[in-house]
Amino acid sequence: MTRRNAPVENASVLGDAFSMQQGVFADKSLLDVGHVPAPDHIVARNEEIRRLATALNPALTGGAPSNAFLYGKTGTGKSLCARYATTRIVEAAAENGVDVGRVIVDCSQDDTETRAVRATVRGLNDAEETGVVVPETGLGRSRYYGLLWEVLDARFDVALVVLDEIDCLDDTEYLMQLSRAAEAGKLDRCSVGVVGISNKIKYRNRLEERVKSSLQEREIVFTPYDREALREIIRSRLSAFDDDVVGEDVVSKCACLAAEEHGDARKAINLLRHAGELAASDGSDQLTADHVLDAKNVAERDRMRELIAGGTVQQKATLLAVTSLALVEKTRTFKTPEVYAAYEDICAETGLETLSKRRVHDLLREWEFLEVLEITRTGGGRARGSYLQHRLLEDPSLVRSAFDQSGRFAGVGFASGGTTTTWSNI
Ligand SMILES: Nc1ncnc2c1ncn2[C@@H]1O[C@H](COP(=O)(O)OP(=O)(O)O)[C@@H](O)[C@H]1O
Ligand SMILES: [Mg+2]
């Protein structure tokens, strides 16, 4: 039963708070980041899946698969397609009586050679079947390798090792070892196929020649989703909501905003979930395009707040300087002397030590790295020389509200007159 059908007289304040979440959602878990959609809900990736399946296809008869690398920005479905294609290969091989093992190693967690080898062998071992116990700690790298080769030969004809976020691995030795295992005589029965996944398209350039020639991998590039694909992806998650809660206008709004933001499906789904939460918490029984816009603002503000919270006091002061300028001027672009003067004002207002121009410049560069600022050198003509321009990439009122919400810099530097903020609590 949906909330809108509930008898109004039963709704106590507390009762409302508990029933709201069900108000719009039928099954919210469909919008979780980790949710794996059913195969017929994977949208617009047939070609990529087909190419990956083709590379891995020899595994179906117990042969050595080709290695494959998937490249593309975040949220383009790489992890999803790798998971799906490898699962299918394992299942189809089993029907032929071929034992294929599959493990997914998250290299952003297991980011050294030893950790990655350990995660692989722990993921593929079955102690009851092999009698091999793989301890969590205490073994050196070569022991973990030893156990890996032992487990692979004991259990599988083919092992598919998916190295997700492979660019986080601190070196490429593990790739080398995996791709040369058979040649080097480490394995008798089992062949290994590596599926590498990277958000950084330039990852391959960083691989040494010996690794490339040993891998001989196929490259599959995932391009950002366009608006139509994002719309389909969102539609396929609508069973997360009760009937008639989400209209086509909401689907379009989510798709448009996510398409503007690099075609990231993860962002599109998050947007839909946040919009649903906002609708539920204001007691609506339908989502509106405004809920989606609000959700976007909340998400951006949360991101800003996290970035700001991660900065040092001085770092915060430099961003505050640019933001306070952007709030009072018509532009978002400022030269170094303007930024420094605003920074000095903030220091004076709050009793913070004033750092040198050079130090402030270094701190501003860190905001540039975080893509909050853009710093460019502009030619001022022969007589005047060149100078730096600092452009705030975020909406200044959004940055301001993130500062306000952090409860620390509230009011400081925002031309709001004298404030009583003390720096001791920053
Ligand atoms: N083609 C698609 N169809 C349905 N859902 C998708 C599709 N692509 C991505 N998603 C969903 O979007 C989110 C991000 O996808 P993911 O595979 O993790 O991206 P990547 O690994 O490229 O960063 C996941 O929740 C995933 O289920
Ligand atoms: Mg991924």
Side-chain angles (χ1 to χ4, degrees):
M1 187 172 66
T2 60
R3 202 179 82 87
R4 54 187 175 278
N5 298 327
V8 175
E9 55 274 23
N10 284 347
S12 69
V13 175
L14 201 56
D16 250 5
F18 283 115
S19 61
M20 275 177 200
Q21 294 294 315
Q22 281 126 39
V24 293
F25 292 112
D27 180 3
K28 200 172 162 188
S29 70
L30 294 178
L31 304 174
D32 286 349
V33 178
H35 169 77
V36 181
D40 55 345
H41 281 173
I42 299 182
V43 174
R45 286 300 186 218
N46 287 344
E47 180 57 20
E48 290 79 1
I49 292 173
R50 194 189 60 71
R51 292 183 56 200
L52 179 55
T54 306
L56 304 180
N57 192 274
L60 292 180
T61 49
S66 301
N67 299 315
F69 270 48
L70 317 186
Y71 295 104
K73 294 203 168 142
T74 51
T76 52
K78 301 178 301 296
S79 299
L80 172 64
C81 293
R83 181 179 291 275
Y84 169 69
T86 52
T87 308
R88 280 287 302 277
I89 294 280
V90 171
E91 288 167 358
E95 284 168 20
N96 296 339
V98 175
D99 291 324
V100 178
R102 189 277 313 264
V103 63
I104 298 180
V105 178
D106 178 356
C107 302
S108 67
Q109 298 289 318
D110 295 309
D111 57 359
T112 65
E113 183 186 359
T114 306
R115 285 190 199 141
V117 180
R118 184 180 61 201
T120 309
V121 61
R122 284 175 66 87
L124 290 170
N125 189 31
D126 175 345
E128 276 187 19
E129 192 184 319
T130 58
V132 173
V133 175
V134 185
E136 176 80 62
T137 53
L139 297 187
R141 186 172 50 212
S142 61
R143 269 302 282 146
Y144 281 117
Y145 270 120
L147 294 178
L148 175 63
W149 309 136
E150 187 180 339
V151 165
L152 291 188
D153 265 343
R155 295 197 71 202
F156 303 114
D157 300 309
V158 182
L160 303 177
V161 180
V162 180
L163 299 176
D164 204 347
E165 314 269 344
I166 193 170
D167 44 281
C168 297
L169 263 188
D170 65 359
D171 83 42
T172 53
E173 192 53 34
Y174 187 34
L175 272 178
M176 217 33 219
Q177 292 291 333
L178 282 177
S179 55
R180 299 195 58 252
E183 240 177 282
K186 310 278 187 200
L187 291 169
D188 297 325
R189 163 192 171 201
C190 185
S191 343
V192 175
V194 178
V195 178
I197 304 179
S198 172
N199 296 326
K200 299 191 177 62
I201 196 112
K202 292 196 179 123
Y203 178 73
R204 187 165 206 280
N205 303 346
R206 292 212 320 243
L207 291 179
E208 307 130 70
E209 281 311 320
R210 67 178 190 123
V211 182
K212 284 187 212 168
S213 75
S214 167
L215 273 173
Q216 296 283 333
E217 86 285 8
R218 305 202 187 171
E219 274 179 55
I220 306 173
V221 175
F222 285 59
T223 53
Y225 292 115
D226 63 14
R227 201 186 304 178
E228 201 38 58
L230 289 166
R231 201 175 275 158
E232 277 304 308
I233 289 171
I234 293 165
R235 278 202 199 106
S236 73
R237 302 289 169 108
L238 290 187
S239 33
F241 294 91
D242 280 328
D243 291 347
D244 304 328
V245 165
V246 181
E248 196 53 36
D249 57 332
V250 168
V251 174
S252 290
K253 193 81 205 168
C254 285
C256 279
L257 292 176
E260 281 166 16
E261 290 225 12
H262 322 301
D264 180 333
R266 187 180 289 110
K267 284 203 176 138
I269 295 166
N270 278 339
L271 206 51
L272 185 65
R273 191 183 66 239
H274 286 136
E277 283 165 355
L278 289 177
S281 72
D282 71 13
S284 314
D285 49 19
Q286 278 206 318
L287 266 67
T288 62
D290 279 344
H291 286 132
V292 179
L293 274 179
D294 289 347
K296 179 168 188 266
N297 288 334
V298 171
E300 281 177 355
R301 202 182 52 211
D302 285 353
R303 178 181 152 261
M304 265 325 297
R305 210 166 44 191
E306 264 173 41
L307 286 179
I308 290 170
T312 62
V313 176
Q314 284 287 354
Q315 239 173 340
K316 291 175 192 172
T318 60
L319 176 60
L320 201 53
V322 182
T323 307
S324 59
L325 285 171
L327 280 167
V328 291
E329 307 288 341
K330 285 201 181 69
T331 167
R332 287 194 199 173
T333 307
F334 307 98
K335 296 181 196 170
T336 307
E338 294 172 280
V339 176
Y340 193 70
Y343 163 79
E344 285 179 316
D345 286 348
I346 285 167
C347 291
E349 194 181 330
T350 54
L352 190 69
E353 179 198 356
T354 312
L355 300 181
S356 67
K357 282 188 178 145
R358 171 173 287 279
R359 281 291 295 135
V360 169
H361 174 71
D362 290 344
L363 294 174
L364 289 166
R365 284 284 183 202
E366 292 181 33
W367 291 115
E368 182 190 38
F369 178 75
L370 295 170
E371 297 181 350
V372 177
L373 293 182
E374 186 180 75
I375 302 179
T376 45
R377 184 168 288 282
T378 306
R382 189 181 300 195
R384 292 162 58 209
S386 65
Y387 54 89
L388 292 181
Q389 291 272 28
H390 304 74
R391 189 158 78 88
L392 183 62
L393 296 172
E394 305 283 344
D395 176 354
S397 42
L398 184 120
V399 183
R400 175 193 185 145
S401 77
F403 267 111
D404 284 348
Q405 282 224 335
S406 70
R408 295 178 168 188
F409 284 78
V412 175
F414 292 122
S416 57
T419 69
T420 53
T421 308
T422 53
W423 283 78
S424 54
N425 60 7
I426 289 167

